[in-house]
Amino acid sequence: QLQLQESGSGLVKPSQTLSLTCAVSGGSISSGGYSWSWIRQPPGKGLEWIGYIYHSGSTYYNPSLKSRVTISVDRSKNQFSLKLSSVTAADTAVYYCARAVVVVAAFDYWGQGTLVTVSS
Amino acid sequence: QSALTQPASVSGSPGQSITISCTGTSSDVGGYNYVSWYQQHPGKAPKLMIYEVSNRPSGVPDRFSGSKSGNTASLTISGLQAEDEADYYCSSYTSSSTPQVFGGGTKLTVL
């Protein structure tokens, strides 16, 4: 059974960089046919796709966040990471990592989510 | 503002059926059969309920069904149960600048 687990700082100061890691267990992040995404959900609001990285290493980002987002993969540790720079209070959200099956464009496995608060 | 439009809330009594709509454009819902639906209970991660418009992952009850007509996709839950009370989100592949978009979510209340 595939499992995803987010980790990282739960409190980030405004203008600093948010950094999160998603550890994948029960399967290889290098397996073909999947993309690995970050999705966030501000308190009381809906889901927002941030971006994803393919098993090949190619990345795609939400244009609204593209200038501030970097998603990378560490195959040796079977994990992928999110960096979001120049954060503001609007970036306060629960951040989820998720796997998508590319051919059906659906997220079949999700992490439990981690709350990141941007505050001084 | 979300790319896909869902009603903010729907409700139904146990045993009844409800339908949640998800309206997009020809660049997303109407143009591709890559609509998926997610169930989210409070404080929990979303769970995939439907993919490719009408397919159910293993383990999802057949009370959940999906369909699409034009630019609008729908999720129908028949034989409502108390445990179905949750938020539901649709998502679609899109040919616009962002390849994946979500709806704003619908809160289902089981009366």
Side-chain angles (χ1 to χ4, degrees):
Chain A
Q1 177 80 349
L2 192 75
Q3 291 187 325
L4 290 78
Q5 179 68 56
E6 304 92 345
S7 63
S9 176
L11 180 64
V12 183
K13 288 182 168 52
S15 80
Q16 294 190 341
T17 296
L18 176 161
S19 295
L20 296 174
T21 295
C22 181
V24 179
S25 59
S28 173
I29 201 169
S30 298
S31 297
Y34 304 108
S35 64
W36 304 88
S37 280
W38 288 97
I39 296 162
R40 70 181 183 179
Q41 184 172 36
K45 297 187 177 181
L47 301 167
E48 179 182 31
W49 175 77
I50 298 170
Y52 57 63
I53 187 165
Y54 279 118
H55 64 92
S56 63
S58 300
T59 53
Y60 294 84
Y61 302 133
N62 188 322
S64 68
L65 300 169
K66 187 175 182 179
S67 63
R68 300 193 291 130
V69 173
T70 301
I71 297 176
S72 60
V73 65
D74 185 337
R75 301 184 194 286
S76 67
K77 295 183 179 179
N78 212 40
Q79 64 186 32
F80 62 108
S81 299
L82 168 72
K83 290 188 185 299
L84 181 65
S85 63
S86 305
V87 298
T88 70
D91 295 310
T92 294
V94 174
Y95 285 75
Y96 295 100
C97 58
R99 186 186 83 168
V101 181
V102 173
V103 292
V104 300
F107 301 100
D108 60 345
Y109 285 94
W110 296 66
Q112 64 184 26
T114 187
L115 174 64
V116 177
T117 302
V118 178
S119 175
S120 56
Chain B
Q1 186 172 357
S2 301
L4 305 179
T5 301
Q6 299 181 231
S9 64
V10 298
S11 63
S13 299
Q16 289 186 331
S17 295
I18 63 94
T19 296
I20 300 172
S21 62
C22 171
T23 301
T25 69
S26 58
S27 295
D28 39 64
V29 174
Y32 305 92
N33 288 325
Y34 295 132
V35 177
S36 51
W37 290 89
Y38 303 86
Q39 175 191 66
Q40 186 180 36
H41 287 111
K44 300 295 186 181
K47 175 187 175 183
L48 178 65
M49 304 301 284
I50 296 287
Y51 66 95
E52 282 187 300
V53 176
S54 60
N55 293 322
R56 282 187 308 277
S58 174
V60 173
D62 59 7
R63 302 185 294 104
F64 292 83
S65 63
S67 62
K68 190 184 83 167
S69 178
N71 294 337
T72 298
S74 298
L75 173 70
T76 298
I77 308 174
S78 58
L80 268 180
Q81 299 181 3
E83 68 211 48
D84 299 333
E85 184 163 293
D87 292 328
Y88 291 85
Y89 292 90
C90 63
S91 181
S92 175
Y93 173 82
T94 171
S95 58
S96 68
S97 58
T98 175
Q100 198 78 30
V101 291
F102 287 98
T106 298
K107 182 177 180 57
L108 168 61
T109 300
V110 180
L111 302 171

